[in-house]
Amino acid sequence: MWVKALQVIPHVERDEWERLDVISKWLISTRAAVLIMTFISAAIAGLLALRAGEFNLVRWLMLVIGLIFAHATNNLLNDLTDYSRGVDTDNYYRTQYGPQPLEQGLWSRKTHLLYAAVTGLIALAAGAYLVAVSGILALWLLLAGAIFVLFYTYPLKYIGLGELAVLLVWGPLMIGGGYYVITGQWDWYVALASLAYALGPTTVIFGKHIDKLQQDKEKGIRTLPVILGETRSRYVVLGMIALQYLSVITLVAVGYFSPVMLIVLLAWYYLPPVIRVFSQPRPTEKPQDARLAAGWPLYFVAAAFYQNRSYGLLLLVGLILQLFIR
């Protein structure tokens, strides 16, 4: 189950849930399959620090632990907030693509709070260490991260700012801030270059919000796709995907990246099905195509995640190859 939960968000029935160990329940309830996006941001920060000759293994490990557990805490608090506000009732989208332990009565609010508290304290402990060794700017970065963790679900997501928050968090905050706590130096070039990856997680959250656009609209959750409408939102995602590749090409052209970074263009192999998905309205029923139906009712978000994972891993390969060439 540990391996499965790191790859997909598994469906489990009550009797199976009750037989699971603590770690399996934590992995499922935190939607651990999506934590790879956070690990990639931390890995990019580490590789850029290594390129600058300022890598510190202990600080990087604390960064990885802090970011992953902060993201996991955010997912737990998302479910708690939505459950408390009654958002996940009536077979809402969240309970269809994976277990929502509170809504489905798999555990109590007290247990949920315990998992969230322990997870959050681990993230906070890692962050406190980084503040102690890095100084006041690290404290401000920690506080900014805490604000996004606590207030993403409400009110940011409700007023069309959730998607912008994801862009800032997975880019300048995680990668730019991560680079700072590893090296002790803030670098605006790193912060700007971080957007080449941060656009990917933003497409994923956009895809998720397009998938549940109608349900969110009915519940008064004004995500950016609700404000823009499905058609505009689908083309915004395609535009962001194009910007991911254009940003790497630009960073190579200006000399910030080595030409070996153009290896990310190999991810174009995975693009045609993603473009087809986002070029058409969301189907009203489960598609016949087994590939598109595999994660139903996940549809746009599954395609965006598929593209981002391919792009992100190739981006890491390029950064590693840069080091060997240097």
Side-chain angles (χ1 to χ4, degrees):
M1 181 57 77
W2 295 2
V3 174
K4 184 177 181 180
L6 288 169
Q7 296 174 325
V8 298
I9 301 174
H11 288 276
V12 294
E13 300 299 329
R14 179 183 295 274
D15 58 342
E16 182 181 9
W17 175 267
E18 291 175 351
R19 295 195 303 270
L20 291 175
D21 60 277
V22 171
I23 294 177
S24 294
K25 290 180 179 179
W26 183 85
L27 291 170
I28 294 170
S29 61
T30 60
R31 287 165 269 161
V34 302
L35 299 182
I36 187 174
M37 295 188 295
T38 296
F39 174 77
I40 290 175
S41 283
I44 291 171
L47 289 168
L48 291 176
L50 195 59
R51 186 181 75 162
E54 300 288 344
F55 183 74
N56 182 297
L57 179 59
V58 173
R59 292 189 184 191
W60 180 74
L61 289 174
M62 288 296 103
L63 175 70
V64 171
I65 293 170
L67 292 181
I68 287 178
F69 277 81
H71 185 180
T73 303
N74 176 254
N75 285 347
L76 288 167
L77 292 180
N78 283 350
D79 282 351
L80 177 62
T81 301
D82 285 342
Y83 171 76
S84 300
R85 295 178 64 83
V87 172
D88 290 338
T89 57
D90 301 325
N91 197 31
Y92 182 61
Y93 181 88
R94 170 67 183 89
T95 60
Q96 296 180 48
Y97 70 76
Q100 212 288 32
L102 274 173
E103 183 63 35
Q104 295 168 264
L106 299 178
W107 64 22
S108 65
R109 181 189 289 264
K110 181 179 178 180
T111 302
H112 192 99
L113 286 169
L114 178 61
Y115 271 68
V118 172
T119 305
L121 285 173
I122 293 172
L124 188 60
Y129 170 82
L130 292 172
V131 169
V133 298
S134 302
I136 189 66
L137 180 56
L139 176 61
W140 288 114
L141 292 169
L142 176 65
L143 291 175
I147 289 172
F148 284 121
V149 166
L150 295 172
F151 299 111
Y152 165 77
T153 303
Y154 185 85
L156 296 178
K157 189 172 71 173
Y158 278 69
I159 55 176
L161 293 178
E163 296 79 10
L164 177 60
V166 168
L167 181 67
L168 294 175
V169 168
W170 266 265
L173 188 59
M174 285 191 183
I175 299 177
Y179 179 89
Y180 169 76
V181 297
I182 295 170
T183 66
Q185 303 169 26
W186 178 263
D187 190 321
W188 283 106
Y189 288 105
V190 171
L192 289 172
S194 71
L195 297 176
Y197 176 69
L199 285 163
T202 309
T203 65
V204 174
I205 200 67
F206 243 90
K208 179 182 177 182
H209 290 167
I210 299 171
D211 277 333
K212 58 194 187 81
L213 185 154
Q214 190 57 42
Q215 295 96 322
D216 280 345
K217 187 175 182 179
E218 292 171 359
K219 292 176 179 287
I221 305 172
R222 291 181 57 79
T223 62
L224 204 49
V226 168
I227 295 170
L228 296 175
E230 183 190 299
T231 302
R232 290 192 187 93
S233 297
R234 287 190 285 107
Y235 284 102
V236 167
V237 170
L238 290 175
M240 286 191 289
I241 291 173
L243 279 175
Q244 284 185 276
Y245 294 96
L246 288 173
S247 60
V248 172
I249 293 171
T250 301
L251 289 166
V252 170
V254 300
Y256 183 77
F257 281 157
S258 161
V260 73
M261 289 297 295
L262 294 177
I263 193 172
V264 297
L265 300 183
L266 292 177
W268 284 359
Y269 173 80
Y270 301 98
L271 271 180
V274 176
I275 293 173
R276 284 196 297 271
V277 165
F278 279 96
S279 296
Q280 301 173 10
R282 188 178 190 274
T284 56
E285 298 181 354
K286 189 174 183 178
Q288 296 299 316
D289 187 323
R291 293 171 301 177
L292 298 177
W296 187 264
L298 300 176
Y299 185 70
F300 290 124
V301 63
F305 184 76
Y306 171 75
Q307 192 283 144
N308 181 63
R309 183 173 59 182
S310 306
Y311 170 92
L313 292 176
L314 282 169
L315 192 67
L316 289 182
V317 170
L319 289 169
I320 293 169
L321 289 176
Q322 271 196 145
L323 297 174
F324 283 105
I325 291 173
R326 283 167 64 89

mmCIF file of all heavy atoms in Angstrom, residues 39-61:
data_model
loop_
_atom_site.group_PDB
_atom_site.id
_atom_site.type_symbol
_atom_site.label_atom_id
_atom_site.label_comp_id
_atom_site.label_asym_id
_atom_site.label_seq_id
_atom_site.Cartn_x
_atom_site.Cartn_y
_atom_site.Cartn_z
ATOM 1 N N PHE A 39 8.674 17.489 -4.050
ATOM 2 C CA PHE A 39 10.035 16.961 -4.041
ATOM 3 C C PHE A 39 10.835 17.497 -5.223
ATOM 4 O O PHE A 39 12.017 17.832 -5.082
ATOM 5 C CB PHE A 39 10.033 15.430 -4.084
ATOM 6 C CG PHE A 39 11.422 14.858 -4.212
ATOM 7 C CD1 PHE A 39 12.268 14.805 -3.108
ATOM 8 C CD2 PHE A 39 11.900 14.418 -5.438
ATOM 9 C CE1 PHE A 39 13.563 14.314 -3.233
ATOM 10 C CE2 PHE A 39 13.188 13.919 -5.568
ATOM 11 C CZ PHE A 39 14.023 13.868 -4.456
ATOM 12 N N ILE A 40 10.204 17.606 -6.394
ATOM 13 C CA ILE A 40 10.919 18.119 -7.567
ATOM 14 C C ILE A 40 11.365 19.557 -7.330
ATOM 15 O O ILE A 40 12.494 19.935 -7.675
ATOM 16 C CB ILE A 40 10.044 18.002 -8.837
ATOM 17 C CG1 ILE A 40 9.898 16.525 -9.227
ATOM 18 C CG2 ILE A 40 10.649 18.791 -9.995
ATOM 19 C CD1 ILE A 40 8.962 16.282 -10.401
ATOM 20 N N SER A 41 10.509 20.385 -6.728
ATOM 21 C CA SER A 41 10.913 21.766 -6.432
ATOM 22 C C SER A 41 12.116 21.791 -5.494
ATOM 23 O O SER A 41 13.073 22.546 -5.704
ATOM 24 C CB SER A 41 9.746 22.538 -5.794
ATOM 25 O OG SER A 41 8.796 22.926 -6.758
ATOM 26 N N ALA A 42 12.084 20.943 -4.448
ATOM 27 C CA ALA A 42 13.214 20.883 -3.514
ATOM 28 C C ALA A 42 14.466 20.372 -4.204
ATOM 29 O O ALA A 42 15.576 20.855 -3.945
ATOM 30 C CB ALA A 42 12.859 19.980 -2.333
ATOM 31 N N ALA A 43 14.308 19.398 -5.098
ATOM 32 C CA ALA A 43 15.459 18.853 -5.824
ATOM 33 C C ALA A 43 16.060 19.902 -6.751
ATOM 34 O O ALA A 43 17.291 20.001 -6.885
ATOM 35 C CB ALA A 43 15.028 17.625 -6.627
ATOM 36 N N ILE A 44 15.224 20.704 -7.404
ATOM 37 C CA ILE A 44 15.723 21.773 -8.287
ATOM 38 C C ILE A 44 16.538 22.766 -7.471
ATOM 39 O O ILE A 44 17.628 23.191 -7.885
ATOM 40 C CB ILE A 44 14.553 22.475 -9.003
ATOM 41 C CG1 ILE A 44 13.917 21.523 -10.027
ATOM 42 C CG2 ILE A 44 15.033 23.748 -9.707
ATOM 43 C CD1 ILE A 44 12.626 22.044 -10.639
ATOM 44 N N ALA A 45 16.009 23.155 -6.302
ATOM 45 C CA ALA A 45 16.740 24.088 -5.437
ATOM 46 C C ALA A 45 18.102 23.509 -5.067
ATOM 47 O O ALA A 45 19.126 24.208 -5.088
ATOM 48 C CB ALA A 45 15.929 24.384 -4.174
ATOM 49 N N GLY A 46 18.142 22.221 -4.723
ATOM 50 C CA GLY A 46 19.398 21.580 -4.359
ATOM 51 C C GLY A 46 20.386 21.514 -5.508
ATOM 52 O O GLY A 46 21.589 21.774 -5.330
ATOM 53 N N LEU A 47 19.902 21.192 -6.704
ATOM 54 C CA LEU A 47 20.789 21.085 -7.868
ATOM 55 C C LEU A 47 21.336 22.449 -8.279
ATOM 56 O O LEU A 47 22.495 22.560 -8.706
ATOM 57 C CB LEU A 47 20.042 20.429 -9.031
ATOM 58 C CG LEU A 47 19.759 18.929 -8.852
ATOM 59 C CD1 LEU A 47 18.778 18.438 -9.903
ATOM 60 C CD2 LEU A 47 21.066 18.135 -8.930
ATOM 61 N N LEU A 48 20.517 23.496 -8.149
ATOM 62 C CA LEU A 48 21.007 24.842 -8.462
ATOM 63 C C LEU A 48 22.047 25.286 -7.429
ATOM 64 O O LEU A 48 23.027 25.966 -7.769
ATOM 65 C CB LEU A 48 19.845 25.834 -8.513
ATOM 66 C CG LEU A 48 18.880 25.653 -9.697
ATOM 67 C CD1 LEU A 48 17.703 26.622 -9.588
ATOM 68 C CD2 LEU A 48 19.601 25.853 -11.029
ATOM 69 N N ALA A 49 21.855 24.890 -6.173
ATOM 70 C CA ALA A 49 22.850 25.192 -5.136
ATOM 71 C C ALA A 49 24.142 24.423 -5.411
ATOM 72 O O ALA A 49 25.245 24.957 -5.230
ATOM 73 C CB ALA A 49 22.299 24.833 -3.759
ATOM 74 N N LEU A 50 24.016 23.190 -5.858
ATOM 75 C CA LEU A 50 25.185 22.372 -6.192
ATOM 76 C C LEU A 50 25.945 22.993 -7.355
ATOM 77 O O LEU A 50 27.178 23.037 -7.366
ATOM 78 C CB LEU A 50 24.730 20.953 -6.537
ATOM 79 C CG LEU A 50 25.795 19.861 -6.571
ATOM 80 C CD1 LEU A 50 26.497 19.739 -5.228
ATOM 81 C CD2 LEU A 50 25.154 18.530 -6.956
ATOM 82 N N ARG A 51 25.203 23.513 -8.335
ATOM 83 C CA ARG A 51 25.842 24.172 -9.482
ATOM 84 C C ARG A 51 26.620 25.409 -9.042
ATOM 85 O O ARG A 51 27.678 25.718 -9.594
ATOM 86 C CB ARG A 51 24.775 24.577 -10.509
ATOM 87 C CG ARG A 51 25.361 25.127 -11.803
ATOM 88 C CD ARG A 51 24.306 25.532 -12.795
ATOM 89 N NE ARG A 51 23.636 26.776 -12.447
ATOM 90 C CZ ARG A 51 22.927 27.506 -13.297
ATOM 91 N NH1 ARG A 51 22.778 27.100 -14.559
ATOM 92 N NH2 ARG A 51 22.359 28.619 -12.911
ATOM 93 N N ALA A 52 26.094 26.095 -8.011
ATOM 94 C CA ALA A 52 26.765 27.298 -7.519
ATOM 95 C C ALA A 52 27.928 26.975 -6.579
ATOM 96 O O ALA A 52 28.616 27.886 -6.101
ATOM 97 C CB ALA A 52 25.749 28.189 -6.796
ATOM 98 N N GLY A 53 28.125 25.679 -6.299
ATOM 99 C CA GLY A 53 29.215 25.283 -5.396
ATOM 100 C C GLY A 53 28.912 25.566 -3.938
ATOM 101 O O GLY A 53 29.827 25.673 -3.118
ATOM 102 N N GLU A 54 27.621 25.684 -3.579
ATOM 103 C CA GLU A 54 27.242 26.049 -2.213
ATOM 104 C C GLU A 54 26.301 25.019 -1.587
ATOM 105 O O GLU A 54 25.535 25.343 -0.679
ATOM 106 C CB GLU A 54 26.545 27.418 -2.224
ATOM 107 C CG GLU A 54 27.390 28.556 -2.756
ATOM 108 C CD GLU A 54 28.508 28.955 -1.787
ATOM 109 O OE1 GLU A 54 28.417 28.554 -0.612
ATOM 110 O OE2 GLU A 54 29.445 29.648 -2.203
ATOM 111 N N PHE A 55 26.361 23.771 -2.049
ATOM 112 C CA PHE A 55 25.414 22.759 -1.581
ATOM 113 C C PHE A 55 25.734 22.316 -0.161
ATOM 114 O O PHE A 55 26.896 22.119 0.202
ATOM 115 C CB PHE A 55 25.425 21.541 -2.511
ATOM 116 C CG PHE A 55 24.423 20.487 -2.146
ATOM 117 C CD1 PHE A 55 23.069 20.684 -2.389
ATOM 118 C CD2 PHE A 55 24.825 19.298 -1.551
ATOM 119 C CE1 PHE A 55 22.137 19.717 -2.051
ATOM 120 C CE2 PHE A 55 23.900 18.316 -1.219
ATOM 121 C CZ PHE A 55 22.554 18.527 -1.471
ATOM 122 N N ASN A 56 24.678 22.154 0.643
ATOM 123 C CA ASN A 56 24.825 21.654 2.010
ATOM 124 C C ASN A 56 23.797 20.539 2.190
ATOM 125 O O ASN A 56 22.587 20.784 2.164
ATOM 126 C CB ASN A 56 24.577 22.785 3.017
ATOM 127 C CG ASN A 56 24.767 22.331 4.460
ATOM 128 O OD1 ASN A 56 24.053 21.470 4.943
ATOM 129 N ND2 ASN A 56 25.742 22.926 5.139
ATOM 130 N N LEU A 57 24.274 19.301 2.371
ATOM 131 C CA LEU A 57 23.384 18.143 2.392
ATOM 132 C C LEU A 57 22.380 18.205 3.537
ATOM 133 O O LEU A 57 21.190 17.921 3.340
ATOM 134 C CB LEU A 57 24.214 16.862 2.498
ATOM 135 C CG LEU A 57 23.409 15.548 2.549
ATOM 136 C CD1 LEU A 57 22.554 15.395 1.305
ATOM 137 C CD2 LEU A 57 24.333 14.358 2.736
ATOM 138 N N VAL A 58 22.818 18.579 4.734
ATOM 139 C CA VAL A 58 21.911 18.600 5.882
ATOM 140 C C VAL A 58 20.794 19.621 5.666
ATOM 141 O O VAL A 58 19.609 19.341 5.905
ATOM 142 C CB VAL A 58 22.682 18.912 7.184
ATOM 143 C CG1 VAL A 58 21.711 19.096 8.348
ATOM 144 C CG2 VAL A 58 23.674 17.798 7.485
ATOM 145 N N ARG A 59 21.169 20.809 5.189
ATOM 146 C CA ARG A 59 20.146 21.840 4.939
ATOM 147 C C ARG A 59 19.175 21.385 3.860
ATOM 148 O O ARG A 59 17.963 21.640 3.951
ATOM 149 C CB ARG A 59 20.814 23.164 4.539
ATOM 150 C CG ARG A 59 21.596 23.820 5.660
ATOM 151 C CD ARG A 59 22.029 25.217 5.245
ATOM 152 N NE ARG A 59 22.865 25.845 6.257
ATOM 153 C CZ ARG A 59 23.213 27.121 6.248
ATOM 154 N NH1 ARG A 59 22.793 27.910 5.259
ATOM 155 N NH2 ARG A 59 23.975 27.618 7.196
ATOM 156 N N TRP A 60 19.706 20.712 2.833
ATOM 157 C CA TRP A 60 18.819 20.249 1.759
ATOM 158 C C TRP A 60 17.847 19.196 2.279
ATOM 159 O O TRP A 60 16.657 19.233 1.955
ATOM 160 C CB TRP A 60 19.628 19.693 0.590
ATOM 161 C CG TRP A 60 18.742 19.212 -0.524
ATOM 162 C CD1 TRP A 60 18.034 19.971 -1.412
ATOM 163 C CD2 TRP A 60 18.431 17.848 -0.848
ATOM 164 N NE1 TRP A 60 17.306 19.179 -2.264
ATOM 165 C CE2 TRP A 60 17.532 17.867 -1.944
ATOM 166 C CE3 TRP A 60 18.834 16.618 -0.326
ATOM 167 C CZ2 TRP A 60 17.038 16.704 -2.524
ATOM 168 C CZ3 TRP A 60 18.328 15.459 -0.905
ATOM 169 C CH2 TRP A 60 17.439 15.499 -1.985
ATOM 170 N N LEU A 61 18.331 18.266 3.093
ATOM 171 C CA LEU A 61 17.455 17.238 3.651
ATOM 172 C C LEU A 61 16.370 17.866 4.527
ATOM 173 O O LEU A 61 15.206 17.456 4.491
ATOM 174 C CB LEU A 61 18.266 16.225 4.452
ATOM 175 C CG LEU A 61 19.155 15.276 3.638
ATOM 176 C CD1 LEU A 61 20.010 14.429 4.554
ATOM 177 C CD2 LEU A 61 18.319 14.397 2.719
#
